[in-house]
Amino acid sequence: MAATRYRRFLRLCEEWPVEKTKQNRDLGTVLRQRVAQAFREGENTPITDPEACDQMYESLVRIHTNYYKNKYPRLKETNFTGVTVEDCRMILATDVLKQMEDMKKGTWRKLREKFSAKKPDDDSK
């Protein structure tokens, strides 16, 4: 029975897309890592709680297939701020978040990091 569960999770991992814009923050990447941890011995991995394993799989399938999005369709494709899904994806991209983090730094700190050979954390001691 563990072999069947393992194959189902592998199939789900293959189908789950990986978003290249979210480096180290993508649900598909985390899913693959967690499956690799949970099934270290592959098909021979003993499963201590089969019901919880099946429930986790079914929940992930519902997320992957947009079950609730299809069951409860929205009237508009925006949220209360008026931002669309594509705008949210763009804002949450790793590159944009990094740029925003750089913008938060003050001028003095930027200059110090640029001209200093030390790490910025070393100066605060």
Side-chain angles (χ1 to χ4, degrees), residues 1-11 39 43:
M1 211 50 192
T4 305
R5 287 183 176 91
Y6 176 65
R7 282 189 227 117
R8 287 180 8 184
F9 272 101
L10 282 182
R11 195 173 322 115
F39 292 97
E43 294 182 352

Side-chain angles (χ1 to χ4, degrees), residues 6-7 13 25 27 42 44 46 51 53 56-57 60 62-63 81 83 90-91 104-106 109 111 119 123:
Y6 176 65
R7 282 189 227 117
C13 287
R25 299 179 301 117
L27 186 57
N44 299 325
E51 289 179 13
C53 182
M56 179 65 70
Y57 174 77
L60 289 169
R62 284 192 297 269
I63 292 170
T81 62
V83 178
M90 184 190 74
I91 291 168
K104 288 182 184 178
K105 293 180 183 178
R109 187 171 180 180
L111 288 172
K119 293 181 182 174
D123 292 340

Side-chain angles (χ1 to χ4, degrees), residues 21-116:
T21 60
K22 294 183 181 178
Q23 299 164 350
N24 300 324
R25 299 179 301 117
D26 180 43
L27 186 57
T29 303
V30 172
L31 175 66
R32 286 168 179 77
Q33 291 170 352
R34 296 287 298 267
V35 168
Q37 287 174 351
F39 292 97
R40 287 188 184 118
E41 299 173 25
E43 294 182 352
N44 299 325
T45 303
I47 297 175
T48 55
D49 191 358
E51 289 179 13
C53 182
D54 291 341
Q55 186 178 15
M56 179 65 70
Y57 174 77
E58 293 301 325
S59 296
L60 289 169
V61 166
R62 284 192 297 269
I63 292 170
H64 177 61
T65 60
N66 291 323
Y67 175 79
Y68 291 106
K69 179 182 178 185
N70 296 332
K71 185 175 181 180
Y72 304 106
R74 299 178 64 169
L75 300 176
K76 297 179 181 179
E77 289 300 317
T78 61
N79 58 20
F80 72 96
T81 62
V83 178
T84 64
V85 174
E86 288 304 315
D87 292 339
C88 287
R89 281 195 180 116
M90 184 190 74
I91 291 168
L92 293 175
T94 302
D95 298 338
V96 173
L97 290 176
K98 187 175 180 182
Q99 289 174 356
M100 290 174 64
E101 192 65 34
D102 289 342
M103 287 172 45
K104 288 182 184 178
K105 293 180 183 178
T107 307
W108 182 249
R109 187 171 180 180
K110 286 180 192 176
L111 288 172
R112 188 174 61 193
E113 287 177 1
K114 186 175 181 178
F115 294 111
S116 176

